[in-house]
Amino acid sequence: MNRFTAKAPARANIIGEHTDYATNQGHVLPTPLPFHTTVTVQETDGTAGHLTILSENYGNQPHDRKADDEPRHHWTDYVVGCVRVMSKTVKLPALEFRIKSDVPIGSGISSSAALCVAAVRALRGLTGAELNDEQIALMAHEAEHDYVGVPCGKMDQFVASLGRPGQALLLNTRAMTYRHYPLPPNTAIMLVNCGKKHDLAKGGGYKQRVAECAEARKLLGVSTLCELGHKDLGRLSTLPDVIRRRARHVITENLRVLEFVTALEEGDTERQADLIAASHVSQRDDFEVSIPEIDALVESSKRFGIRAARIVGGGFGGSIIALVPRDQAVAWWSFIAKENPESQLISTYALKNSENEYAA
Ligand code: ADP
Ligand code: MG
């Protein structure tokens, strides 16, 4: 019986948070992380459309699903969604999926996109369907967005499918064009989980932010919020307070991504730190997606002397990202852990980071 195994990485977004919704269509700057989800898909004897799904991360018990099932608000939905999207392109037999992953789940580094991209890649391998990596990203997005029902943008799937180790992917989510940039040298990308899990499919706050951005777009009469720039910020004064602050975050965050890329090209680490710090303040005060546990991690980082720290991911829990000079990374983490005993370091790779170790 035919079988194929594929994997896809987790990601960290360096800067550009909540800019990628359909209403916003701004820039993001994610990078893949050396954590992966691996999916093995195997043809089985059953009736076409029958699916057996197992995940080592969820007890490795077989779950029976059908390709035409309605979503059940269960983790297997992600795989069913990928099968449904793929079956628009190619006829699929009965299938068994085996999943394993070292990506921390629900920690803001996108285990969901790693799963969907790996599943669609595995299906491409099994069927020999002619799909490029952009198409894979779009299909993984369709599975998560349309079937699972997470109102997510396309960043996670694009970086999981197209990202390169040790490089950031500047993605214009309007034109869906992208460019790779080397990450700053001698800088560790530190990710620290605050100890509170999140689940975007269940959480109401994220959906509310999506709705608020739609409201801002409607009231401003634009097709996307990120077509607005510095000179347009005055227009926001006519909006109701909450909507104004949501829009201000999205517009300024998009501008920060572009400034950050310039600062990367110029090797201006002070400017990079300013922009990341400003991103946190904007998410905390204007977009209101932070929580006290996350703010405490960012404040600890500042007390240590690192300003380049901010909330990362969908918000309402999850993790911070910090850019820390490599020779200070161990001391930085010891300091953070002492002040925040519940927190956990996600990116231990950053402590031993080198491109070779990443590639291995
Ligand atoms: P994040 O993508 O930041 O980790 P999400 O809430 O978007 O958080 O996605 C997490 C969900 O994705 C899990 O609750 C689960 O349903 C699904 N998922 C992710 N990885 C796996 C895995 N290895 N096995 C099974 N389901 C997974
Ligand atoms: Mg996710």
Side-chain angles (χ1 to χ4, degrees):
M1 287 277 187
N2 253 341
R3 171 208 284 249
F4 198 89
T5 298
K7 64 177 186 169
R11 63 98 183 99
N13 190 19
I14 308 283
I15 192 163
E17 215 66 75
H18 305 279
T19 49
D20 70 334
Y21 305 173
T23 52
N24 304 347
Q25 298 190 19
H27 293 80
V28 291
L29 192 71
T31 186
L33 294 176
F35 299 96
H36 295 89
T37 297
T38 303
V39 174
T40 298
V41 61
Q42 164 136 30
E43 202 178 327
T44 61
D45 281 333
T47 328
H50 186 264
L51 311 171
T52 310
I53 311 172
L54 304 90
S55 171
E56 278 188 6
N57 305 86
Y58 288 87
N60 223 17
Q61 297 298 315
H63 292 266
D64 289 322
R65 297 290 308 259
K66 297 229 160 48
D68 57 5
D69 275 353
E70 290 303 312
R72 286 188 194 161
H73 306 291
H74 186 261
W75 62 263
T76 50
D77 285 352
Y78 289 86
V79 179
V80 178
C82 292
V83 168
R84 284 167 80 105
V85 173
M86 191 68 168
S87 44
K88 291 185 191 171
T89 309
V90 47
K91 199 165 158 18
L92 294 171
L95 296 167
E96 180 191 81
F97 288 86
R98 288 184 177 266
I99 302 161
K100 61 180 181 180
S101 180
D102 63 0
V103 181
I105 294 173
S107 295
I109 63 169
S110 202
S111 65
S112 57
L115 172 58
C116 292
V117 169
V120 180
R121 275 181 177 165
L123 287 167
R124 170 177 66 180
L126 185 87
T127 59
E130 280 191 29
L131 297 164
N132 64 31
D133 290 338
E134 278 180 53
Q135 289 168 308
I136 294 282
L138 291 170
M139 291 168 80
H141 177 261
E142 190 181 332
E144 181 163 355
H145 184 275
D146 294 6
Y147 184 76
V148 183
V150 182
C152 55
K154 300 191 178 91
M155 167 178 77
D156 295 351
Q157 297 80 13
F158 264 72
V159 67
S161 185
L162 292 150
R164 294 180 188 160
Q167 299 195 15
L169 183 81
L170 176 69
L171 178 67
N172 174 334
T173 67
R174 179 175 205 172
M176 294 320 285
T177 49
Y178 54 89
R179 195 173 148 189
H180 301 275
Y181 287 84
L183 288 171
N186 301 317
T187 304
I189 297 169
M190 304 300 285
L191 287 158
V192 175
N193 189 310
C194 72
K196 274 203 159 181
K197 282 208 169 189
H198 75 138
D199 184 339
L200 292 184
K202 286 193 196 127
Y206 187 89
K207 285 187 179 168
Q208 193 186 341
R209 294 297 173 276
V210 171
E212 288 161 348
C213 288
E215 179 70 6
R217 178 177 72 157
K218 196 174 97 192
L219 293 174
L220 288 164
V222 291
S223 56
T224 64
L225 289 182
C226 292
E227 68 196 54
L228 301 175
H230 280 300
K231 62 177 178 359
D232 302 304
L233 288 172
R235 286 172 61 185
L236 305 188
S237 60
T238 56
L239 300 176
D241 177 58
V242 169
I243 303 297
R244 179 175 52 83
R245 288 186 290 117
R246 304 299 188 248
R248 184 168 61 189
H249 166 71
V250 171
I251 295 164
T252 58
E253 183 75 356
N254 183 49
L255 297 169
R256 280 187 287 272
V257 179
L258 299 174
E259 277 189 62
F260 192 90
V261 165
T262 306
L264 269 185
E265 286 181 314
E266 292 173 353
D268 187 346
T269 47
E270 286 302 309
R271 187 73 194 126
Q272 291 167 27
D274 288 343
L275 291 162
I276 288 177
S279 171
H280 183 74
V281 170
S282 181
Q283 290 187 77
R284 185 192 64 197
D285 298 344
D286 276 355
F287 217 60
E288 294 183 284
V289 287
S290 193
I291 60 169
E293 291 85 346
I294 290 277
D295 293 336
L297 292 173
V298 169
E299 291 305 316
S300 287
S301 181
K302 277 200 262 181
R303 274 193 291 280
F304 179 85
I306 296 294
R307 288 180 297 122
R310 65 171 189 87
I311 183 169
V312 67
F316 307 103
S319 310
I320 65 158
I321 184 169
L323 301 190
V324 183
R326 197 164 295 160
D327 58 1
Q328 294 179 44
V330 173
W332 179 87
W333 166 237
S334 308
F335 186 88
I336 299 286
K338 207 166 167 198
E339 289 201 351
N340 305 271
E342 304 287 298
S343 64
Q344 298 147 358
L345 183 65
I346 298 176
S347 57
T348 43
Y349 92 96
L351 297 173
K352 52 167 191 167
N353 189 5
S354 78
E355 282 186 26
N356 286 342
E357 278 168 335
Y358 183 101

